[in-house]
Amino acid sequence: MSTIDWAAHLPVIWAGIAVVAVVMYVLLDGFDLGIGILFPYAGNDDDRDVMMNTVAPIWDGNETWLVLGGGGMLAAFPVAYATILPGTYLPLLVMLIALIFRGVAFEFRFKARTSRHVWDRSFHYGSLFATFAQGLVLGSFIQGFEVENRTFVGGPFDWLTPFTVLCGVALVAGYALLGCTWLIWRTEGHLREWCAQLCRPLLLAVMIFVGIVSLWTPFLDNDIAMRWFTMPNLLYLSPVPVVTFLVALGLWRTGTRRHDVVPFLLAMSLFLLSFLGLGISLWPNVVPPDISIWEAAAPPASQGFMLAGMVFLVPLVICYTVFCYYVFRGKVRPGEGYHH
């Protein structure tokens, strides 16, 4: 009778937990950051009140997944944490400061009178800079880190390249699309109509960025190019870009037909497919291009001990998230909201 090799499987389980946490954060906090990006372009202050009220009860719960993903990375893959963090200090610092300004705006804006415009800008620029910084970190992760003997030996500005800047701008467009489709679902009247008209230009921008990043990424690492463009991998992996195109086509058509929740689900599907493409390109490396999840993993005893806690923590976060979305479900109208 064969026994399970937990020492080999624990890093895979923890990689799955970290990926789920990051994906959940991007999907959930992505649309409320997108609302902040679109915020100053709404027609009037009443629309901005409604936009903020659609996410005011849930935005902080969405960020729980960021803590879970970061904490899981620190605990399960300390080598990755010690390598990626020094390589992306500055954009991560900008992201955290921006998230603080954005979070404070939620509390102060509804109570301020003469200084409301200050908190409007805090919400907008906090969302914009946090998103762009996340894109820089994502681009840095894709392009890889300079490592010797499991130690980062690159420069303090390795994260600043044309590719990472492109990823930053692309993520701003992607989150704006998520926010736009969320507002189509959760609002009505001329605010919803404005978002419906905005959906197609944002989708077009996102697909252009997805295409450029997808074509650029294989040129960053020969292994990635070999994985995608050699036979029979080319046949096996071709459904990913094909399904992505079909989902984008579906979103283009449903945006025209004024569906409610369908555009939001399709926009989230585009992000999931992009994550799938990223996973195919980089697996099993947790520090591209050379350090795998097994090389970066904490000792099996540590991973097993922490996994026992995650068995309770992850379902608790899921239940909390589902409960909040259930309680604050439905359309949000002017004069209604968490802060009233």
Side-chain angles (χ1 to χ4, degrees):
M1 182 177 177
S2 62
T3 57
I4 299 176
D5 183 3
W6 285 106
H9 287 80
L10 279 172
V12 179
I13 295 171
W14 270 104
I17 293 172
V19 167
V20 168
V22 171
V23 169
M24 288 295 290
Y25 170 74
V26 169
L27 292 180
L28 298 184
D29 209 31
F31 70 76
D32 65 54
L33 285 167
I35 289 171
I37 292 168
L38 299 174
F39 197 64
Y41 309 108
N44 53 57
D45 214 37
D46 289 339
D47 285 348
R48 282 185 278 276
D49 286 347
V50 172
M51 292 169 73
M52 214 164 185
N53 276 326
T54 64
V55 293
I58 55 175
W59 72 272
D60 45 358
N62 293 341
E63 295 191 350
T64 303
W65 293 99
L66 178 64
V67 178
L68 191 64
M73 181 72 78
L74 170 64
F77 302 107
V79 173
Y81 201 86
T83 305
I84 295 173
L85 200 61
T88 54
Y89 268 141
L90 190 53
L92 286 174
L93 183 63
V94 170
M95 180 191 77
L96 292 176
I97 294 173
L99 289 177
I100 290 171
F101 273 91
R102 181 174 174 275
V104 172
F106 271 105
E107 302 302 325
F108 282 24
R109 181 182 180 276
F110 287 101
K111 299 175 178 63
R113 291 294 178 263
T114 58
S115 61
R116 172 171 276 210
H117 65 284
V118 173
W119 302 113
D120 283 352
R121 289 181 174 82
S122 179
F123 182 55
H124 170 61
Y125 288 111
S127 302
L128 182 64
F129 281 104
T131 302
F132 185 69
Q134 289 177 18
L136 291 174
V137 174
L138 173 64
S140 301
F141 184 74
I142 296 173
Q143 73 180 7
F145 298 90
E146 193 174 343
V147 177
E148 289 181 8
N149 299 321
R150 300 186 179 186
T151 302
F152 177 70
V153 294
F157 293 98
D158 283 3
W159 51 267
L160 186 59
T161 67
F163 179 76
T164 60
V165 172
L166 173 70
C167 289
V169 177
L171 199 61
V172 169
Y175 281 2
L177 177 65
L178 280 176
C180 177
T181 54
W182 168 263
L183 292 172
I184 290 174
W185 178 21
R186 298 299 304 277
T187 65
E188 58 188 14
H190 60 88
L191 176 57
R192 184 186 184 283
E193 182 64 24
W194 173 64
C195 292
Q197 293 175 359
L198 197 60
C199 184
R200 280 185 169 180
L202 285 174
L203 174 61
L204 185 61
V206 168
M207 292 311 296
I208 290 173
F209 284 125
V210 168
I212 296 173
V213 172
S214 299
L215 292 174
W216 195 333
T217 299
F219 290 98
L220 298 173
D221 190 315
N222 190 52
D223 289 341
I224 297 176
M226 294 289 289
R227 183 167 295 182
W228 279 97
F229 300 121
T230 57
M231 297 295 284
N233 288 4
L234 184 61
L235 293 177
Y236 295 150
L237 301 179
S238 59
V240 177
V242 172
V243 173
T244 302
F245 173 77
L246 293 176
V247 170
L249 184 62
L251 179 53
W252 184 275
R253 291 171 62 84
T254 56
T256 303
R257 295 174 182 174
R258 307 292 193 265
H259 291 271
D260 269 345
V261 69
V262 175
F264 181 62
L265 295 177
L266 290 175
M268 294 181 89
S269 299
L270 283 178
F271 269 77
L272 288 174
L273 287 162
S274 298
F275 267 111
L276 179 60
L278 181 63
I280 291 171
S281 297
L282 301 180
W283 174 262
N285 294 324
V286 68
V287 183
D290 297 321
I291 299 180
S292 71
I293 58 172
W294 294 279
E295 294 170 315
S302 299
Q303 287 197 334
F305 177 76
M306 293 180 295
L307 187 61
M310 280 292 176
V311 169
F312 296 97
L313 184 59
V314 172
L316 184 65
V317 173
I318 292 174
C319 290
Y320 165 78
T321 302
V322 171
F323 179 74
C324 285
Y325 277 76
Y326 176 76
V327 169
F328 296 101
R329 65 189 182 279
K331 297 280 188 182
V332 178
R333 299 174 178 85
E336 297 179 347
Y338 178 68
H339 286 82
H340 292 274

